[in-house]
Amino acid sequence: MNSIIFMGPPGAGKGTQAKILCDTLGIPQISTGDILRAAVKNGTQMGLEAKRYMDAGDLVPDSVVIGIIKDRLVEPDCKNGFLLDGFPRTVEQADALDKILSTEGLKIKRAINLEVPDQELLERLLKRAEIEGRSDDNETTIKSRLETYNKKTLPLLDYYAAKGNLSRVNGVGNLDTVTKLIEKELA
């Protein structure tokens, strides 16, 4: 079973590479944002709870996000594997994920970290903001997002390295080259 976590800073190419890999492996890409919106739309118990926080402009707490992830991982399309994109973001979330998977007799096969230097990330994100017309993505907000990533998410590298399932992949290069590097790590 292919149970994969994609990690990396904003702009590293996680979403692009996740789509390619999921198409190749025939597994679903599970994006936290997407499943939160779907749970709200479908009116699930966890979705309704998440909606309360979202409507108030607050971050959805870990307990709700983890509940929604748990509900998603037991759906039939995940039986042959899944790729988590954007979750976990903290060591606490990773611990909770391990507990969920353990109750289902599952574990993470590979945690892949796409590594890209900060200057390259800044350039990519500014270019994406310009192309997509995203006025909220400016140099200040991008640097803030990278700082948050480095503080809260970077410790996951040690977490998965200690478990022996971390792969560090150079995320700089053309699309096909990076895809081949990722596929090599999963072989």
Side-chain angles (χ1 to χ4, degrees):
M1 177 203 269
N2 285 305
S3 48
I4 305 161
I5 294 175
F6 256 22
M7 301 184 305
K14 296 180 301 293
T16 301
Q17 290 294 338
K19 180 167 180 16
I20 294 167
L21 192 60
C22 288
D23 288 347
T24 301
L25 297 174
I27 60 174
Q29 176 183 356
I30 300 174
S31 161
T32 311
D34 291 347
I35 62 172
L36 271 172
R37 286 185 288 279
V40 169
K41 181 181 175 189
N42 294 333
T44 67
Q45 180 181 349
M46 285 291 173
L48 294 173
E49 193 169 339
K51 186 175 183 334
R52 283 193 345 217
Y53 291 99
M54 293 161 76
D55 287 349
D58 295 330
L59 288 175
V60 179
D62 278 357
S63 60
V64 176
V65 173
I66 290 162
I68 289 172
I69 293 282
K70 181 179 181 181
D71 290 348
R72 178 64 181 95
L73 293 179
V74 298
E75 289 185 23
D77 66 334
C78 290
K79 72 177 175 8
N80 293 322
F82 52 85
L83 185 146
L84 291 170
D85 175 9
F87 184 88
R89 290 183 185 232
T90 64
V91 170
E92 293 78 17
Q93 289 179 350
D95 279 333
L97 175 63
D98 283 348
K99 288 177 183 144
I100 290 168
L101 294 174
S102 178
T103 63
E104 300 296 322
L106 304 171
K107 65 180 184 174
I108 296 299
K109 175 184 178 180
R110 182 70 47 209
I112 297 173
N113 188 61
L114 290 177
E115 301 191 343
V116 179
D118 282 356
Q119 186 58 40
E120 171 81 10
L121 293 168
L122 182 61
E123 290 169 16
R124 286 182 184 186
L125 291 168
L126 287 171
K127 185 176 181 180
R128 183 173 78 184
E130 183 181 319
I131 291 169
E132 296 177 6
R134 294 171 60 166
S135 60
D136 60 325
D137 266 353
N138 56 52
E139 190 167 341
T140 303
T141 59
I142 291 168
K143 284 182 177 178
S144 176
R145 288 170 55 203
L146 292 173
E147 196 174 297
T148 299
Y149 170 82
N150 288 330
K151 188 185 302 180
K152 294 189 175 215
T153 307
L154 211 51
L156 284 172
L157 299 183
D158 291 336
Y159 180 88
Y160 287 109
K163 291 182 172 293
N165 60 358
L166 175 68
S167 291
R168 296 172 179 257
V169 174
N170 181 356
V172 179
N174 73 45
L175 187 66
D176 291 337
T177 300
V178 175
T179 301
K180 283 182 174 75
L181 290 171
I182 293 167
E183 288 172 342
K184 182 179 173 187
E185 291 299 318
L186 294 172

